[in-house]
């Protein structure tokens, strides 16, 4: 018998109490992610501190290995596809990598055994940069589930919920990575990923694109790049710290799809943004 109610829940407006409940739940989840990230970071630092005095190949009591050096890390990442039997999950904070490094990552994906599932989380700005957007679409075309997040705690790769790789501290100027095998640490890192995955948005839902017109703040930054103003002077003009200014500048360059200040200034002039 007809009841006069909508056929689907999304046909009726969300009650205010329900909206507040969902908002509260989201905030709780975000707080939990932050706590998990802090715990993981502290654990990684503690494990690293105990390993830096050992040879890189030695293991610790938590079944972890410190991998030092860009070549050794690249070798390990190249082996990841051969280790996987069921699933690879990963998250990638930081700036958008150069096209050559993105291509190297795709080549590793091509070596995956049949039947291995992949899920990955990238930062939202990745979808705004042409080479980043192309890379994400290529991942989707190869069957990878992709989501976007506004923030991620650290880079992470987990294979079959048994091996986990995360950045570590080493001597100045050296790259380092912690490789964990099984145990509670891998379980904790997996939980952090799943929480980040839950809060991230599917790639198809991303609506932010490269800006058509810069904001007044961005125009000041672009003019400063063209005129050669010192970062400290521009930061004072904007009323922000030098660290905040450089973070804003990196975000603007990502939005514009450029890799240098010179390219940003040239593009701004060609688009007529500085007139």
């Amino acid at each position: 018998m007809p009841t006069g109610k909508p056929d689907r829940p999304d046909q009726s407006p969300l009650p205010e109490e329900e909206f507040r409940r969902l908002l509260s739940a989201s905030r709780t989840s975000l707080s939990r992610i932050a706590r998990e990230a802090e715990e993981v970071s502290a654990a990684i630092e503690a494990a690293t501190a105990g390993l830096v005095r050992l040879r890189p190949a030695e293991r610790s009591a938590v079944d972890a290995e410190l991998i030092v050096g860009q070549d050794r890390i690249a070798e390990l990442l190249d082996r990841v596809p051969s280790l996987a039997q069921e699933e690879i999950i990963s998250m990638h904070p930081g700036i958008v990598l150069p096209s050559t490094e993105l291509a190297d990552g795709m080549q590793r994906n091509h070596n995956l055994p049949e039947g291995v599932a992949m899920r990955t989380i990238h930062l939202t700005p990745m979808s705004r940069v042409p080479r980043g957007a192309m890379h994400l679409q290529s991942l989707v075309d190869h069957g990878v589930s992709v989501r976007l997040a506004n923030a991620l705690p650290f880079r992470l790769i987990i294979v079959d919920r048994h091996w986990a790789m995360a950045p570590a501290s080493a001597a100045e100027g050296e790259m380092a990575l912690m490789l964990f095998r099984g145990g509670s640490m891998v379980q904790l890192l997996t939980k952090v990923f799943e929480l980040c995955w839950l809060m991230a948005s599917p790639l198809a839902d991303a609506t932010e694109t490269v800006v058509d017109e810069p904001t007044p703040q961005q125009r000041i930054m672009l003019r400063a790049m063209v005129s050669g103003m010192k970062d400290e002077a521009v930061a004072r003009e904007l009323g922000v710290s030098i660290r905040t200014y450089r973070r804003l500048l990196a975000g603007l360059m990502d939005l514009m799809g450029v890799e240098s200040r010179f390219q940003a200034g040239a593009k701004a002039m060609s688009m007529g943004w500085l007139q």
Side-chain angles (χ1 to χ4, degrees):
M1 176 181 295
T3 62
K5 295 183 179 179
D7 295 331
R8 300 191 307 273
D10 59 1
Q11 289 180 323
S12 59
L14 190 66
E16 182 177 351
E17 291 184 3
E18 180 67 10
F19 176 80
R20 291 181 182 278
R21 187 188 67 77
L22 291 174
L23 181 60
S24 176
S26 297
R27 288 173 175 168
T28 300
S29 296
L30 286 172
S31 298
R32 187 181 303 112
I33 290 174
R35 289 196 303 271
E36 295 283 359
E38 290 177 0
E39 290 177 13
V40 171
S41 296
I44 290 174
E45 290 295 332
T48 302
L51 286 173
V52 291
R53 297 185 300 273
L54 305 176
R55 294 192 304 273
E58 291 183 343
R59 295 185 183 181
S60 73
V62 296
D63 201 6
E65 181 178 348
L66 179 65
I67 310 295
V68 179
Q70 187 172 358
D71 291 342
R72 293 197 66 217
I73 291 174
E75 180 182 355
L76 175 61
L77 294 178
D78 287 339
R79 289 178 52 209
V80 166
S82 64
L83 295 174
Q85 298 182 9
E86 297 179 0
E87 182 185 48
I88 297 176
I89 54 180
S90 62
M91 54 189 186
H92 305 271
I95 62 174
V96 182
L97 296 175
S99 300
T100 53
E101 294 188 39
L102 293 176
D104 290 343
M106 282 304 305
Q107 183 58 46
R108 295 190 190 101
N109 296 340
H110 293 163
N111 296 330
L112 278 176
E114 185 176 355
V116 174
M118 283 192 67
R119 290 185 291 154
T120 184
I121 314 173
H122 286 269
L123 291 178
T124 301
M126 182 79 165
S127 65
R128 305 178 193 152
V129 181
R131 68 179 183 278
M134 291 178 61
H135 179 74
L136 295 177
Q137 187 56 53
S138 181
L139 289 174
V140 172
D141 293 342
H142 284 82
V144 180
S145 296
V146 179
R147 290 194 175 187
L148 300 177
N150 292 328
L152 291 169
F154 46 80
R155 190 180 184 195
L156 176 66
I157 302 174
I158 301 177
V159 180
D160 289 343
R161 308 197 176 212
H162 181 75
W163 293 276
M165 287 151 270
S169 299
E172 185 176 355
E174 284 191 305
M175 295 179 61
L177 176 150
M178 287 296 297
L179 172 63
F180 298 96
R181 300 176 180 84
S184 58
M185 178 60 73
V186 176
Q187 293 177 12
L188 179 59
L189 289 168
T190 301
K191 187 175 181 180
V192 172
F193 172 86
E194 293 296 353
L195 287 169
C196 291
W197 179 265
L198 179 65
M199 301 304 298
S201 302
L203 179 61
D205 292 347
T207 57
E208 296 182 271
T209 58
V210 178
V211 292
D212 294 325
E213 287 288 337
T215 65
Q217 182 188 62
Q218 290 169 338
R219 287 183 187 275
I220 293 175
M221 296 164 64
L222 290 169
R223 290 194 182 98
M225 281 189 281
V226 173
S227 64
M229 287 179 62
K230 297 291 187 181
D231 287 355
E232 291 78 4
V234 187
R236 285 195 299 271
E237 184 174 349
L238 294 175
V240 299
S241 68
I242 185 65
R243 183 175 180 180
T244 298
Y245 169 70
R246 287 173 177 164
R247 185 170 66 248
L248 292 172
L249 185 60
L252 176 59
M253 291 170 62
D254 276 346
L255 283 171
M256 296 177 68
V258 298
E259 298 180 1
S260 70
R261 298 189 182 195
F262 175 81
Q263 291 176 344
K267 183 171 182 177
M269 293 181 67
S270 68
M271 296 293 290
W273 290 346
L274 304 181
Q275 297 177 357

